[in-house]
Amino acid sequence: MLLQRIITALILVPLVVLAVFQLPSEYFSLLIGLITLLAAWEWANLIGINSLLKRGLFLFALILPMLWLHFWTQFLELAAQVLDWPDIRDYSGALEWLVIPPVLFWILVMILIRNTPEGVLKLEMRTRYKALIGWGILLATWMFLSRLRAFYGSEMTLYFLILVWTADIAAYFAGKKFGKIKLAPEISPGKTVQGMYGALLAGAVWSIAFIGYYSYRDGFVWMRVSDFIMLSVLTVLISIYGDLFFSVVKRQRGVKDTGSILPGHGGILDRVDSLIAAIPFFYAGILLIGLMS
């Protein structure tokens, strides 16, 4: 199993790096969109949507807002010409406000899992509400990862990805070496408090290394160093509880993995669960730091 995980990672990581640096923003967004739809298919199965028609409708319900968000500025331009209302173009930045609901959702998830893990496990929801939650978090993942790449560049996008990957690896090894206190044993017996601290420390170290390398480059000097380090650490924290959130859903469904498309890793959701929770929070933080600078 470990060998399979290593081989799969060695294949996927270079492909991801190439996509981040070589694909134009539109094609990068399209690629992330396709991955999101694969994750949506797994989510539909995870929450008990067995009908192929209903799964197809769930994917269609994601595709429509994706297209609308992707062509948002074109829609505004068309409206400005048709309605003779040039000021409507000023609303192009209104989409940034959409980052608030997913950020609040993941903070609420973190609080609930931290304080009442057994209650979260026993929480029963109708399938339609689970579908709505999945729709919202997956749409936010696609949207803000695409916007991070489009507005903040390849370096910042790769920084974010490595931040979450590094934290995940550090949590695993720190937990193996020092883990004694379980973080949420009812949900994920393998996760420990010491592993979480290892992840947070790794996030801080990676942020300092990134700042040291890029501190004199245009486009990064506007960032407040302490704010960026804090944002990175908090992003790691949110990512850990994002992982636990999907563990809750898998336990409620009675499955170990969300799929089997990635040898040794399970499904798409098994690999991007932390990223799904982290990206809205990280994007919101980058945006806020920029506004405050």
Side-chain angles (χ1 to χ4, degrees):
M1 180 66 75
L2 180 60
L3 181 60
Q4 280 187 322
R5 290 173 67 93
I6 293 173
I7 293 174
T8 302
L10 289 175
I11 294 173
L12 289 180
V13 170
L15 293 178
V16 171
V17 174
L18 283 174
V20 169
F21 280 95
Q22 298 300 321
L23 288 180
S25 295
E26 293 80 6
Y27 290 106
F28 180 81
S29 181
L30 176 60
L31 176 62
I32 298 302
L34 293 174
I35 295 173
T36 301
L37 292 177
L38 288 173
W41 185 268
E42 292 182 355
W43 177 263
N45 176 63
L46 200 58
I47 63 176
I49 299 178
N50 299 316
S51 167
L52 293 180
L53 176 60
K54 290 182 178 180
R55 288 194 194 183
L57 290 174
F58 181 60
L59 265 62
F60 185 68
L62 267 173
I63 292 172
L64 281 182
M66 283 179 175
L67 291 173
W68 179 73
L69 291 168
H70 183 76
F71 293 106
W72 171 247
T73 54
Q74 288 86 338
F75 288 146
L76 289 181
E77 184 63 33
L78 179 62
Q81 296 179 13
V82 172
L83 302 175
D84 192 23
W85 184 16
D87 292 341
I88 198 174
R89 298 185 181 95
D90 296 336
Y91 290 92
S92 61
L95 294 182
E96 304 290 22
W97 291 95
L98 294 179
V99 77
I100 296 177
V103 167
L104 293 178
F105 172 80
W106 286 115
I107 291 175
L108 177 62
V109 165
M110 181 177 66
I111 293 172
L112 290 176
I113 291 178
R114 179 69 182 88
N115 294 325
T116 59
E118 290 185 359
V120 173
L121 270 176
K122 294 177 181 178
L123 182 64
E124 295 183 3
M125 298 180 65
R126 293 187 176 184
T127 302
R128 69 185 68 170
Y129 298 131
K130 292 180 180 180
L132 182 60
I133 289 173
W135 177 86
I137 61 177
L138 289 173
L139 181 62
T141 300
W142 167 81
M143 178 181 178
F144 294 110
L145 189 54
S146 297
R147 292 175 77 82
L148 182 68
R149 164 67 196 285
F151 297 149
Y152 296 98
S154 300
E155 290 88 355
M156 190 63 73
T157 303
L158 188 62
Y159 169 80
F160 165 74
L161 295 174
I162 294 178
L163 174 68
V164 177
W165 294 339
T166 300
D168 187 45
I169 294 170
Y172 175 81
F173 285 105
K176 284 286 187 183
K177 180 68 175 178
F178 305 107
K180 293 181 179 180
I181 304 173
K182 300 296 183 181
L183 180 62
E186 303 90 346
I187 297 173
S188 182
K191 286 184 171 55
T192 64
V193 173
Q194 289 75 20
M196 180 183 70
Y197 289 153
L200 297 177
L201 178 61
V205 171
W206 170 234
S207 65
I208 293 170
F210 184 80
I211 290 169
Y213 186 75
Y214 285 101
S215 58
Y216 298 106
R217 293 189 51 170
D218 293 336
F220 187 73
V221 293
W222 52 267
M223 281 203 172
R224 300 178 181 180
V225 172
S226 59
D227 290 345
F228 187 72
I229 295 173
M230 180 62 69
L231 171 61
S232 299
V233 172
L234 292 177
T235 298
V236 169
L237 183 62
I238 287 287
S239 75
I240 293 170
Y241 283 92
D243 190 331
L244 288 171
F245 168 80
F246 282 95
S247 294
V248 168
V249 181
K250 286 187 286 188
R251 278 189 170 273
Q252 291 178 337
R253 180 63 170 167
V255 297
K256 182 178 181 295
D257 298 318
T258 62
S260 57
I261 193 172
L262 300 174
H265 290 265
I268 297 293
L269 284 175
D270 292 311
R271 288 302 90 209
V272 300
D273 47 10
S274 299
L275 292 171
I276 289 173
I279 183 58
F281 192 88
F282 184 76
Y283 185 87
I286 293 292
L287 184 64
L288 186 60
I289 292 173
L291 292 174
M292 291 173 60
S293 299

